[in-house]
Amino acid sequence: MMHNLALRNLRARSLRTAILIALTALLSLTICGGTLLVSGLQRGLGSLEARLGADIMVVPYEARTKSNLETIVLQGNPGYFYMDRSRYEKIAGTEGIAQISAQFYLASASSGCCSIPVQIIGFDPETDFTVTPWMKRSYEGTLQNGDIVVGNDLNAFPGDTLQFYGVECHVAAKLEKTGTYYDSAVFTNEETIVSLIQSSLDKGMNDFADTDPAKAVSAVLINVADGYSPEEVMNDINIHVKKVKAVQTKEMIAGIAGSLQGTSDVIGLLIAAVWVLGLVILLLTFSMQMNERRREFAVMRVVGMSRRSLAWLVMQEALLSGACGAVIGTAAALIGMLSFRSAIGAQIGLPFLLPGTAGTAGLALGAVMAVMLSGAAAAACTAYRISQIDTARILRGDNG
Amino acid sequence: MTLTAKQLSKEFPRKSRTSNCFTALCPLDFTLEPGKLTVLTGRSGSGKSTLLNVLAGLMQPTQGQVLADGQDLYAMPDVALSEFRNRHIGVVPQGQTAVYSLSLLENILLPVTLFRRPSDAEQQRAQLLLTELGIVKLADVPPAELSGGEMKRMAIARALLPQPEIVLADEPTADLDEENTDIVFRALQTAAKNGAAVLAVTHEQGAERYADRVCTMHNGILEG
Ligand SMILES: Nc1ncnc2c1ncn2[C@@H]1O[C@H](COP(=O)(O)OP(=O)(O)OP(=O)(O)O)[C@@H](O)[C@H]1O
Ligand SMILES: [Mg+2]
């Protein structure tokens, strides 16, 4: 009955209840949405860092501008630029290189699987050290000619066949979600990509200017040997190899990570501000109801409700509306984040990777709990004050 | 159940030329006997409501004790006192008192529903009281739509529902016409006949007719 009474009171004051629910919903929306946003950004960057796995990236000189490089490294829109393989040999001759591997980027014409052209990334399984380690997580074998590995966003599955430039490719594996451009890319070995290039040229669809496509590479990835600093090696390459630009990828990420930290801090501060504001408004709303209903609370005391039960009644009302709002707000944040995650990533131009199901669920639960707890704290103050009312004094006058 | 006040006094902090506090009740001894309807009259501000509230366990006296069959009300912890009031004391407070989210009938059943689902007998008693007090047609109406007199009668039915052994009514007929005043006093009389100790504070002229005993309050001093 007590429980029922709380519900009855909430229903009878539907406007105030609606406001309370909306307020807590907004609070949990901010907390849950904000935390998801921050963690999505941080995880996206972390994922990118892990996937990049190279100290230095060398690209043709045409691609040297800062914005160009950032697009390549951070947003992963591999530019379509090429240099001659001879340059790769030159770079490889630099002192202090532990691992070196070339990659080839090719834009596909639209294919059956995808509404947008996908990026085809060719790598050399012999030397590769950036793609393979993480590909191994979903694919055990070695890529045969004509085999491709597809990113998580592509609507293709192992066993499927996709056509690029008329060449039939066999889907050997599908990668886990990374939140980076790898999700919408296709990976294949060098021989396959050479045949793709060839047929694209046959169809008159690509222009490689004066580079011989059979000998072209798009980028060279380098890991520096122990005892050498990436900076030295980078400078060495920039000085000694012509028409290329070497950059330290991890340093670029570190720069972004720094500004991302700033963004996270701002979002964190906003969350805190909304939280405090929400708490204050909750407190005000609660104490308004206390004044408005003090005569009613006095009646409860007259008919034999103890101070403790009266406080609990007030708590129940607050907790019920708070739980309702917290769940609605958190659900809205989850739905919003999950359905717009790609749009969010595209909008901010950074990889965006939400935590997995368990992580997201934990976060959502945390948001619900946080809002419930603050609501409970605000309600507890009011409940205590209401339980301490001077019944006789309130009842004395007609208007209390 | 006999309600006894021993050397009961109540002072309120209030500054005046002569003192810092205002004496609403001068030390008084008072007994409310079972089976009797006591009517308490007196000028406005003489301390009637103060006495009633102190007797109901709702206002801590400055000095003295209130004993219900020898049990000191103000020595009980809040939970016990609340439960005691729920079981044994029916209070009709001065003014309008309603829980606005409940219907009239639900308001009347409140002393029971606070702790449990009402039994059939209790439901029947509620209907009986509604009929007796002439508000049976309003059972499902929310308090916001009731007139002052209807709400007052609702408060009386609420106090009488659990058949308390002590009934304390503060101006139960304040908003009522002659006919309804008669109905209310008869209801209080019935409660007394059934063994309750009943105290009714009133300004009503003819209230003595129903009373087994009449007391008067003069500036905090009880007479009769
Ligand atoms: N909480 C309080 N603080 C200060 N003074 C109070 C308080 N309650 C009552 N009084 C004073 O005590 C006196 C008695 O008040 P009480 O309400 O008992 O009068 P009453 O006899 O019931 O009058 P009425 O017939 O108008 O209801 C009044 O003068 C009132 O101003
Ligand atoms: Mg009074």
Side-chain angles (χ1 to χ4, degrees):
Chain A
M1 168 62 205
M2 294 281 290
H3 181 73
N4 188 13
L5 184 58
L7 270 180
R8 291 289 296 268
N9 284 337
L10 286 175
R11 248 188 290 153
R13 293 168 181 77
S14 45
L15 180 66
R16 209 207 47 223
T17 307
I19 292 174
L20 273 180
I21 291 178
L23 198 69
T24 39
L26 202 71
L27 202 58
S28 55
L29 180 80
T30 321
I31 292 175
C32 184
T35 350
L36 276 177
L37 189 68
V38 169
S39 94
L41 283 173
Q42 281 174 346
R43 283 174 52 93
L45 203 69
S47 160
L48 179 66
E49 209 169 358
R51 305 297 175 252
L52 263 169
D55 296 330
I56 295 171
M57 184 179 196
V58 189
V59 294
Y61 202 60
E62 309 93 88
R64 72 187 174 282
T65 62
K66 190 163 188 289
S67 74
N68 228 336
L69 286 168
E70 276 185 358
T71 334
I72 301 166
V73 177
L74 299 172
Q75 295 178 28
N77 279 317
Y80 302 107
F81 38 75
Y82 308 97
M83 56 188 166
D84 197 83
R85 187 168 285 275
S86 64
R87 248 164 263 291
Y88 170 75
E89 313 294 345
K90 276 223 179 79
I91 297 164
T94 312
E95 202 183 324
I97 291 178
Q99 287 168 303
I100 181 163
S101 184
Q103 289 193 347
F104 194 102
Y105 305 143
L106 177 68
S108 81
S110 57
S111 80
C113 68
C114 334
S115 49
I116 42 152
V118 299
Q119 290 142 9
I120 308 173
I121 299 175
F123 65 97
D124 176 7
E126 298 278 304
T127 56
D128 176 71
F129 59 95
T130 59
V131 180
T132 314
W134 131 85
M135 206 167 76
K136 281 270 187 288
R137 293 169 63 165
S138 44
Y139 182 60
E140 282 298 333
T142 358
L143 286 186
Q144 304 301 316
N145 284 349
D147 277 355
I148 53 171
V149 175
V150 295
N152 197 270
D153 286 351
L154 299 191
N155 185 24
F157 299 91
D160 289 357
T161 306
L162 296 180
Q163 276 205 358
F164 295 107
Y165 300 115
V167 178
E168 299 243 316
C169 296
H170 168 249
V171 179
K174 185 162 183 156
L175 298 172
E176 286 172 26
K177 185 134 184 99
T178 65
T180 68
Y181 67 93
Y182 283 6
D183 289 344
S184 56
V186 164
F187 297 88
T188 187
N189 66 16
E190 286 206 329
E191 265 171 72
T192 311
I193 210 155
V194 166
S195 65
L196 288 178
I197 296 165
Q198 205 49 58
S199 62
S200 80
L201 285 174
D202 292 346
K203 290 187 177 349
M205 294 207 288
N206 258 325
D207 178 17
F208 287 86
D210 40 357
T211 317
D212 174 3
K215 288 186 186 164
V217 295
S218 293
V220 177
L221 299 169
I222 294 168
N223 256 355
V224 172
D226 284 347
Y228 290 87
S229 85
E231 198 178 351
E232 272 176 69
V233 177
M234 175 188 78
N235 288 337
D236 221 6
I237 294 169
N238 281 334
I239 293 166
H240 293 112
V241 186
K242 286 197 185 93
K243 289 195 183 169
V244 299
K245 171 78 177 170
V247 287
Q248 280 178 263
T249 53
K250 284 181 179 161
E251 202 181 65
M252 255 167 96
I253 292 185
I256 293 291
S259 69
L260 191 64
Q261 191 55 51
T263 313
S264 304
D265 289 349
V266 169
I267 296 177
L269 220 65
L270 279 177
I271 294 176
V274 171
W275 200 334
V276 169
L277 202 72
L279 252 172
V280 170
I281 300 178
L282 276 178
L283 259 173
L284 281 178
T285 320
F286 285 147
S287 53
M288 260 165 62
Q289 90 163 7
M290 166 174 158
N291 280 325
E292 193 184 298
R293 293 172 62 194
R294 52 210 284 264
R295 217 174 150 76
E296 205 169 286
F297 295 131
V299 177
M300 305 302 286
R301 294 278 294 140
V302 164
V303 295
M305 193 179 236
S306 65
R307 292 189 189 283
R308 212 199 289 155
S309 312
L310 185 57
W312 177 228
L313 175 69
V314 175
M315 280 302 280
Q316 271 182 313
E317 289 184 26
L319 288 177
L320 278 172
S321 57
C324 204
V327 168
I328 290 175
T330 307
L334 280 182
I335 292 170
M337 277 292 165
L338 289 177
S339 42
F340 293 115
R341 57 184 155 186
S342 337
I344 293 169
Q347 189 63 37
I348 49 188
L350 285 172
F352 189 72
L353 182 64
L354 287 177
T357 317
T360 307
L363 242 159
L365 203 70
V368 170
M369 293 303 288
V371 172
M372 289 279 290
L373 276 178
S374 359
C381 298
T382 317
Y384 176 76
R385 277 166 61 201
I386 288 174
S387 75
Q388 297 306 308
I389 52 170
D390 185 341
T391 313
R393 186 183 289 236
I394 290 171
L395 290 175
R396 237 175 41 82
D398 231 334
N399 306 311
Chain B
M1 190 176 276
T2 308
L3 196 64
T4 317
K6 272 193 187 159
Q7 284 301 298
L8 201 66
S9 72
K10 180 71 190 176
E11 292 173 353
F12 292 112
R14 179 197 286 177
K15 287 227 184 320
S16 71
R17 246 169 269 158
T18 48
S19 83
N20 274 340
C21 58
F22 167 80
T23 308
L25 290 181
C26 297
L28 58 85
D29 291 310
F30 179 70
T31 307
L32 208 56
E33 281 164 34
K36 286 200 174 145
L37 170 58
T38 306
V39 164
L40 177 62
T41 57
R43 308 245 320 250
S44 181
S46 56
K48 306 181 297 295
S49 293
T50 306
L51 175 63
L52 186 131
N53 282 328
V54 174
L55 292 177
L58 291 168
M59 186 191 272
Q60 177 94 38
T62 309
Q63 298 255 284
Q65 291 176 317
V66 179
L67 306 171
D69 275 354
Q71 199 175 3
D72 187 348
L73 291 191
Y74 291 96
M76 291 189 220
D78 178 64
V79 174
L81 176 56
S82 301
E83 199 181 320
F84 185 88
R85 186 162 50 242
N86 177 267
R87 292 242 177 102
H88 305 292
I89 310 180
V91 184
V92 181
Q94 189 167 356
Q96 308 301 357
T97 49
V99 174
Y100 286 85
S101 57
L102 303 178
S103 72
L104 182 142
L105 177 61
E106 288 166 327
N107 263 282
I108 291 173
L109 286 168
L110 194 59
V112 176
T113 47
L114 220 45
F115 296 97
R116 61 195 146 81
R117 184 178 288 279
S119 65
D120 287 348
E122 283 157 341
Q123 296 274 11
Q124 272 167 23
R125 177 155 171 79
Q127 290 299 330
L128 207 75
L129 283 166
L130 285 177
T131 317
E132 201 179 325
L133 292 166
I135 43 177
V136 73
K137 281 187 185 145
L138 303 169
D140 297 322
V141 174
E145 293 170 22
L146 296 176
S147 77
E150 286 159 353
M151 230 196 279
K152 199 82 220 193
R153 279 176 280 163
M154 174 185 89
I156 293 155
R158 185 181 60 210
L160 295 179
L161 178 86
Q163 297 187 279
E165 290 146 274
I166 297 163
V167 178
L168 304 171
D170 198 348
E171 305 193 20
T173 58
D175 296 312
L176 300 182
D177 54 49
E178 232 168 283
E179 193 189 332
N180 278 308
T181 303
D182 183 58
I183 290 171
V184 167
F185 272 109
R186 280 184 194 287
L188 292 174
Q189 230 174 6
T190 312
K193 271 204 196 97
N194 291 336
V198 185
L199 175 69
V201 170
T202 185
H203 289 292
E204 217 64 57
Q205 290 302 319
E208 298 84 358
R209 275 187 288 143
Y210 309 93
D212 298 304
R213 177 186 169 198
V214 178
C215 301
T216 314
M217 202 73 157
H218 282 296
N219 295 329
I221 298 165
L222 189 66
E223 289 170 7

